[in-house]
């Protein structure tokens, strides 16, 4: 995976990059041959009605756009959800051909199926909380270590 982060330097950028790398490893796509561009935008909710989007750009090139106005907890969950979609694209489970979309080889007409009934969304929702919980556990342990070190000082 070749990761390109398109946002200004900040602690938030470091969090996003760490989450993307962690989820890629957990989803077993970190060694796959693809490029992922990650953007942050304050207008995604207004423009797309979503906190995040994962889309194929070209062969083996994908993009994740994230709402820049989410709190850190929601951000970690949204990155997990969008990284599941990236895994679906990378592994060929989810494909787009022009305006057509295919899940596990079956063609879906998105306008005829409610968003909440899309099988690729069910897959992402079923994994996002589990993946995010792993990050929260790591952060909790790091916070405990920090607090212990502060008490000793």
């Amino acid at each position: 995976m070749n990761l390109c982060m398109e946002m200004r330097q900040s602690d938030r950028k470091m969090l996003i990059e760490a989450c993307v790398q962690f989820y890629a490893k957990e989803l077993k796509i970190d060694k796959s041959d693809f490029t992922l561009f990650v953007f942050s935008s304050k207008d995604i909710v207004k423009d797309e009605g979503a906190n995040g989007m994962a889309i194929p750009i070209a062969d083996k090139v994908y993009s994740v756009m994230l709402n820049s106005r989410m709190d850190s907890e929601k951000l970690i969950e949204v990155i997990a959800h969008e990284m599941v979609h990236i895994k679906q694209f990378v592994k060929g489970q989810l494909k787009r051909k022009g305006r057509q979309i295919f899940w596990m080889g079956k063609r879906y007409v998105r306008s005829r199926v409610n968003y909440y009934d899309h099988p690729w969304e069910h897959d992402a929702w079923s994994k996002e909380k589990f993946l995010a919980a792993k990050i929260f556990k790591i952060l909790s342990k790091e916070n405990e270590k920090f607090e212990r070190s502060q008490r000793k000082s």
Side-chain angles (χ1 to χ4, degrees), residues 32-46:
S32 298
D33 178 29
F34 71 98
T35 299
L36 178 61
F37 290 93
V38 180
F39 301 89
S40 185
S41 170
K42 65 182 180 181
D43 296 324
I44 186 173
V45 174
K46 181 178 72 173

Side-chain angles (χ1 to χ4, degrees), residues 111-122:
S111 62
R112 292 187 187 155
V113 180
N114 184 305
Y115 170 80
Y116 296 102
D117 293 329
H118 292 154
W120 54 91
E121 293 298 344
H122 286 238

Side-chain angles (χ1 to χ4, degrees), residues 44-94:
I44 186 173
V45 174
K46 181 178 72 173
D47 295 343
E48 302 295 334
N51 278 315
M53 285 179 47
I55 56 172
I57 303 292
D59 187 40
K60 297 183 181 184
V61 180
Y62 308 97
S63 172
V64 167
M65 183 164 298
L66 301 166
N67 175 7
S68 62
R69 296 185 176 182
M70 289 182 283
D71 64 45
S72 296
E73 185 174 323
K74 182 70 176 172
L75 177 64
I76 289 167
E77 291 176 356
V78 169
I79 295 168
H81 182 96
E82 300 310 327
M83 286 302 294
V84 173
H85 289 316
I86 295 301
K87 185 236 2 155
Q88 294 166 345
F89 288 126
V90 169
K91 299 286 186 181
Q93 298 168 319
L94 183 60

